[in-house]
Amino acid sequence: MLVEQLVTCSVGLLAGVVLWSMGVKILRPALGLAGLFIGAVLGWLAWTQVGEAAPMWTLMLGVGIVVACVSMLVYRLVLASLLATFLSIFFMVAAWSSLATVDAGGPPPPPLVDLGALVVGSASVDGAVLDHAPADNNDALLPAASLHVQSAQRVLKERAGILQQSWSELKPGTRLIVLGCLLAGLLLGLIIATFALRASAILATSILGSLLILGSLARLVTLSGAPAHALQDTWVLLPLVCWAALAGVGIAAQAVFIPRKQAADEKPT
């Protein structure tokens, strides 16, 4: 499990650096590759349910190709969805965190670790190995796949419960502000993606690349045994400030060093 996490974090860090530095140039093929990967995962999940009724690689390859083709065909729609999602998450967490720091007796700090786990599907927070549930009939047929899926589902449900409990402790006015910021991020992302395709690609890739870089580095620090959450405990806004600063540098770098003629290649055919 430790080796798998190290490999995953290293790949995530590399992907983040590439997206952060030159995402606008490779976004369209990157969406195709992401669609292929997501489709392969969906095909694998389907295989865990059907078992020997269909070959695993057939399902993974077939679903992956379909999802990749759809991602390439609806490039503008996928880009708008990505940008709107990233901005809404950033605005929501920023509002939640700011209100927590302004009013000492007010809303509790947002569980950023649990929110991040829900967003990226992290299997663990502090390097703990997922526990395995007792095997049933399905597990006897597909022990490794079924147990891993069930373990991930239990961890995600647990973190979703923590996030929901923290949300229930917020005051009604605070909830309204946080929801308003979330909707504002969604609207802003859709507007930018509608009228400025190149700017949308730069924003989306810089934000996603920065998130992957910071998340992978934090995860590697955690796996090394260092107290990764100590800095966040001193200032709850630190992750957001680092995210915004790194994304800003990426946006400036791509806007300056990536030629604008690349924008013609980004327009949907």
Side-chain angles (χ1 to χ4, degrees):
M1 181 63 69
L2 179 60
V3 174
E4 291 178 359
Q5 293 184 26
L6 288 174
V7 172
T8 301
C9 292
S10 301
V11 173
L13 180 60
L14 177 61
V17 171
V18 172
L19 286 174
W20 176 81
S21 60
M22 54 186 302
V24 67
K25 189 175 182 180
I26 63 170
L27 181 57
R28 188 185 290 273
L31 286 178
L33 289 176
L36 182 64
F37 174 76
I38 294 174
V41 172
L42 294 176
W44 174 74
L45 292 175
W47 175 77
T48 63
Q49 302 300 317
V50 301
E52 297 179 350
M56 179 183 66
W57 292 109
T58 300
L59 283 176
M60 292 180 64
L61 183 61
V63 178
I65 292 176
V66 171
V67 176
C69 292
V70 172
S71 300
M72 297 286 285
L73 291 174
V74 293
Y75 169 75
R76 185 185 290 269
L77 178 61
V78 173
L79 177 58
S81 301
L82 287 175
L83 183 59
T85 300
F86 295 148
L87 290 180
S88 62
I89 292 174
F90 182 85
F91 285 1
M92 178 193 69
V93 178
W96 194 338
S97 303
S98 300
L99 292 172
T101 57
V102 170
D103 189 359
L112 295 179
V113 173
D114 299 286
L115 179 61
L118 290 174
V119 174
V120 302
S122 175
S124 56
V125 176
D126 296 319
V129 179
L130 292 174
D131 58 326
H132 287 168
D136 54 18
N137 292 336
N138 245 354
D139 299 337
L141 179 62
L142 306 167
S146 297
L147 290 176
H148 190 77
V149 170
Q150 291 178 7
S151 299
Q153 289 175 345
R154 287 198 307 276
V155 173
L156 291 178
K157 286 180 180 179
E158 179 182 354
R159 289 170 179 160
I162 297 174
L163 191 63
Q164 183 178 4
Q165 179 181 1
S166 183
W167 172 259
S168 65
E169 297 176 7
L170 297 177
K171 299 177 182 178
T174 302
R175 295 184 192 177
L176 182 61
I177 295 175
V178 173
L179 288 176
C181 291
L182 186 148
L183 294 176
L186 283 173
L187 181 61
L188 180 61
L190 293 175
I191 291 176
I192 296 176
T194 300
F195 298 102
L197 188 63
R198 173 181 166 83
S200 301
I202 293 177
L203 281 172
T205 54
S206 298
I207 293 174
L208 177 58
S210 303
L211 185 60
L212 287 174
I213 292 173
L214 293 176
S216 300
L217 288 176
R219 190 77 185 122
L220 290 172
V221 171
T222 301
L223 291 176
S224 68
H229 305 301
L231 292 176
Q232 181 178 324
D233 293 338
T234 60
W235 189 28
V236 71
L237 291 177
L238 181 61
L240 291 170
V241 172
C242 294
W243 186 12
L246 188 58
V249 175
I251 291 170
Q254 291 193 52
V256 172
F257 296 107
I258 303 296
R260 289 194 60 86
K261 63 181 181 180
Q262 181 66 31
D265 299 333
E266 298 164 10
K267 295 181 179 180
T269 55

